[in-house]
Amino acid sequence: MRYANALRLPHHAVMKTLPTLLTMAHPGDVSELDVRIKNGTIRADQIVAVIGKTEGNGGVNDFTRGYFTQSLMHLLSVHLDASPAELAARIPCILSGGTEGVLSPHYVVFCRSEEDTPSEGGALAIGLAFSAPTATGEIGRAVHAHQVADAVRAAMRDAGITHPDDVHFVQIKTPCITVARAEAARAQGVEPVSGEPNRAMAYARAAGALGVALALGEVEDGAVTDAALLADMALYSERASVSSGVEISCNEVIVLGNSPHWSGPYRIAHRAMSDALDIGAVVGALADLGLDAAPQLDAAALARIAGVFVKCEPQRQGRVRASRHTMLDDTDINAQRHVRGAVGGLVAGVIGDGRIFVSGGAEHQGPDGGGLIAVIARGQGA
């Protein structure tokens, strides 16, 4: 298995992470980033990762993710001495489609640089890794989870994070199985985990989540089996966020945490969400960063936030607390689109901004029917 990271700076050095929240007018719009690079606010050679939301459907045929990635890599190639393909191989661009309701298309650009001294109490740390390509017959199976686990451990080493408790959010993008890929595998005598694309995406997300859980010690190694995926929902990670898409063939990993060896004004906090109405987890994650939602963040507090990341999932027994929900029975609108809109509205109401990464498909990502929230913010007065 190969691993690649984007920075190539010495790991004994003190590092600094600077995240920047940008908006887009359409899925190929990277004009705000172009302006920031040209005016010197962002250095193109320090960009190591991008996480964002596009306005597609979030399904197998959501090509808005690939469109944005293509636009991003083309822009960076203009500013850097590298081709778009070379940049895509070292800068993970992990996107989730679907901006239902009040959610707004946006992206967070992460820059990493060398600093003189670490910040007192630690600061936001970022680590990256790419796995080798995952074979179609492995996607969504236990072997896939172990491949992701190895990549997460590599990303932790890249961040200089040694203790799993210092990791607060792991964003994964896994490849998915299209009909064409399934047929190509069968022609070689290999049966994919599912030939139905949406079901295969769920298995891929499940494998990614349990890979994170393995790497962070949230589940025992022997518990992750083919039979456990999408079945034993007591197995989950409180810090995994996994998307799956046609635009990649390997597993892209971004690890975010806090480290005493890093510098800068930003820190990250997370909470598990017990269900789609768990506003307490949202308020708690903000409070961990010194942000008071009473009941909504004021303008000064909102200005400190550089990223909000949420995973959510319709409860499989068809209830939210004591009440029945109909998300899984709606044949007109996919359940993931329902839950993204609902949870997005809940979180945006507390934050006071629709630029929130809310991703459905939270299989094994937080408690069943719930999910997780992670927030990156500057310290007060920073």
Side-chain angles (χ1 to χ4, degrees), residues 4-382:
N5 65 67
L7 192 63
R8 303 186 301 278
L9 286 179
H11 282 277
H12 64 270
V14 174
M15 310 299 297
K16 179 170 70 175
T17 305
L18 289 179
T20 304
L21 176 63
L22 302 173
T23 60
M24 62 177 86
H26 55 77
D29 178 24
V30 290
S31 59
E32 281 197 14
L33 177 58
D34 190 31
V35 169
R36 298 292 185 99
I37 292 173
K38 288 176 178 176
N39 68 21
T41 306
I42 291 177
R43 280 183 50 178
D45 62 338
Q46 293 180 349
I47 296 173
V48 296
V50 174
I51 301 176
K53 285 292 293 184
T54 59
E55 58 206 79
N57 59 27
V60 176
N61 65 329
D62 183 353
F63 299 108
T64 63
R65 298 169 300 206
Y67 178 27
F68 179 87
T69 301
Q70 181 183 49
S71 299
L72 173 69
M73 299 308 166
H74 176 74
L75 170 66
L76 294 180
S77 72
V78 173
H79 294 283
L80 299 170
D81 186 22
S83 70
E86 290 171 330
L87 294 169
R90 73 175 196 240
I91 301 176
C93 179
I94 300 181
L95 304 164
S96 170
T99 51
E100 295 80 7
V102 298
L103 296 177
S104 180
H106 70 282
Y107 55 110
V108 180
V109 177
F110 292 89
C111 291
R112 192 164 70 167
S113 62
E114 195 169 356
E115 194 68 16
D116 293 330
T117 58
S119 297
E120 184 177 352
L124 179 67
I126 185 170
L128 317 169
F130 294 77
S131 76
T134 305
T136 299
E138 295 177 338
I139 293 174
R141 294 194 161 103
V143 64
H144 186 188
H146 284 279
Q147 186 183 47
V148 169
D150 287 342
V152 172
R153 296 182 187 109
M156 289 174 63
R157 291 193 296 271
D158 184 50
I161 294 176
T162 57
H163 201 291
D165 289 348
D166 291 331
V167 175
H168 286 267
F169 186 70
V170 182
Q171 182 63 59
I172 308 280
K173 191 61 175 284
T174 73
C176 68
I177 301 173
T178 62
V179 171
R181 288 176 181 175
E183 288 304 306
R186 288 180 178 126
Q188 297 177 354
V190 177
E191 184 63 28
V193 67
S194 175
E196 198 281 306
N198 285 323
R199 183 66 172 171
M201 285 184 81
Y203 272 110
R205 291 191 297 263
L210 291 181
V212 175
L214 282 170
L216 300 184
E218 295 172 295
V219 301
E220 296 294 330
D221 184 77
V224 179
T225 63
D226 287 350
L229 271 74
L230 296 186
D232 187 353
M233 305 314 294
L235 302 175
Y236 61 85
S237 171
E238 291 188 354
R239 291 166 281 178
S241 173
V242 187
S243 295
S244 182
V246 298
E247 66 272 21
I248 60 170
S249 60
C250 67
N251 302 285
E252 300 183 356
V253 178
I254 302 172
V255 165
L256 294 169
N258 298 314
S259 171
H261 307 297
W262 285 64
S263 182
Y266 291 93
R267 291 182 61 84
I268 184 170
H270 81 279
R271 293 287 183 100
M273 295 183 69
S274 60
D275 58 35
L277 300 178
D278 191 359
I279 197 169
V282 181
V283 174
L286 293 169
D288 291 342
L289 295 168
L291 297 165
D292 183 22
Q296 187 178 85
L297 295 181
D298 60 25
L302 177 60
R304 291 167 51 193
I305 290 180
V308 179
F309 309 94
V310 178
K311 286 296 289 189
C312 52
E313 178 79 4
Q315 209 273 344
R316 285 170 173 74
Q317 280 68 49
R319 292 192 173 274
V320 178
R321 301 186 184 182
S323 301
R324 182 173 69 94
H325 74 72
T326 62
M327 290 184 279
L328 299 172
D329 296 320
D330 191 338
T331 56
D332 296 314
I333 303 174
N334 184 274
Q336 301 300 336
R337 307 200 77 172
H338 271 289
V339 77
R340 282 196 300 261
V343 177
L346 176 87
V347 178
V350 177
I351 301 295
D353 194 331
R355 293 175 299 173
I356 298 169
F357 181 98
V358 180
S359 175
E363 304 89 353
H364 302 286
Q365 300 155 69
D368 184 30
L372 64 100
I373 177 168
V375 181
I376 297 173
R378 291 196 318 271
Q380 192 165 12

